[in-house]
Amino acid sequence: MSRNLARAGAVCAFFLMACGGAGAQGFYPGPWWHGHSGLFSRDYVTPSEDLPGYLTGSPSNASSARGGKLVFAAAAVDQRCQQDGSPRVRVLASPRVGRISVDLGGFVATGVDGGSAYCLGRMVRGARVFYVGRPARGERLVLRVSYPHKGLTYDHVITVP
C-alpha cells in the first residue's frame, strides 16, 4: 500500500515538475477540468465534436494593413471558431501593376468554402491577402486556397476594388 502511494506521489511530483517548464503556455488544470480552457493554453479549448469550417472573408469587414488593401481572407476553424491550421494561398494570376502580400490575422467570416457555417459573421483568424499598390481598372486576381486536414482546394477570382 505504501509503495503504491510513494509511486503515485513520485509520478505526480514528476508531472508537476515537467509542467513547470511549460514556459509560454503554462499549466491550467482547474479551468481545464471545468471545460473552460485547454490544459496547457488558456486560448484553446478542445471542441466536443469535429465539425470544421472552411471560411472566407471580404474587404468590407477587415482593416487594411502593411501598406496594402485587404482583398480576400480564408480560414480553417473548428467548432468553436478557433483557428484549426492555416490555409495555403497561392496566386495563379498575379496583378499587372501592384503586388500581393499574405499574412495571418483576424477578419469577420462572410462566406463558406465548405464544412460548417456556424462561424459566419464571427471574428476568425486565418490567411489574409493584401493588394499593395494602385490597382489598374478592373484588375483581377486568381487565388488558389488549399485548406489543411481534408485536402480541400478552391479557386477564387477576385476583382480588386
Side-chain angles (χ1 to χ4, degrees):
M1 177 79 171
S2 65
R3 272 189 175 169
N4 289 339
L5 281 173
R7 284 184 189 158
V11 167
C12 287
F14 176 74
F15 184 72
L16 289 174
M17 284 188 294
C19 293
Q25 290 182 328
F27 181 60
Y28 310 101
W32 171 77
W33 183 259
H34 297 290
H36 298 298
S37 74
L39 182 59
F40 295 101
S41 174
R42 287 185 189 264
D43 296 338
Y44 186 80
V45 178
T46 304
S48 58
E49 296 179 39
D50 184 22
L51 213 63
Y54 305 104
L55 308 170
T56 60
S58 63
S60 63
N61 58 38
S63 60
S64 297
R66 305 178 78 186
K69 181 174 185 157
L70 180 76
V71 292
F72 181 77
V77 298
D78 64 13
Q79 180 188 358
R80 294 184 177 235
C81 303
Q82 301 170 115
Q83 186 177 3
D84 189 20
S86 181
R88 190 179 65 185
V89 178
R90 197 170 86 197
V91 179
L92 298 179
S94 59
R96 293 174 288 182
V97 179
R99 65 182 177 85
I100 299 296
S101 72
V102 179
D103 74 354
L104 291 176
F107 64 94
V108 176
T110 58
V112 177
D113 267 349
S116 172
Y118 175 75
C119 298
L120 279 177
R122 298 174 189 250
M123 184 65 96
V124 295
R125 184 171 165 79
R128 302 183 304 177
V129 179
F130 293 91
Y131 186 91
V132 180
R134 188 177 186 130
R137 184 173 221 175
E139 181 84 73
R140 287 190 173 190
L141 309 173
V142 179
L143 305 173
R144 176 162 289 159
V145 181
S146 301
Y147 291 98
H149 308 305
K150 302 275 187 195
L152 299 175
T153 302
Y154 295 93
D155 290 345
H156 293 273
V157 178
I158 310 297
T159 302
V160 180

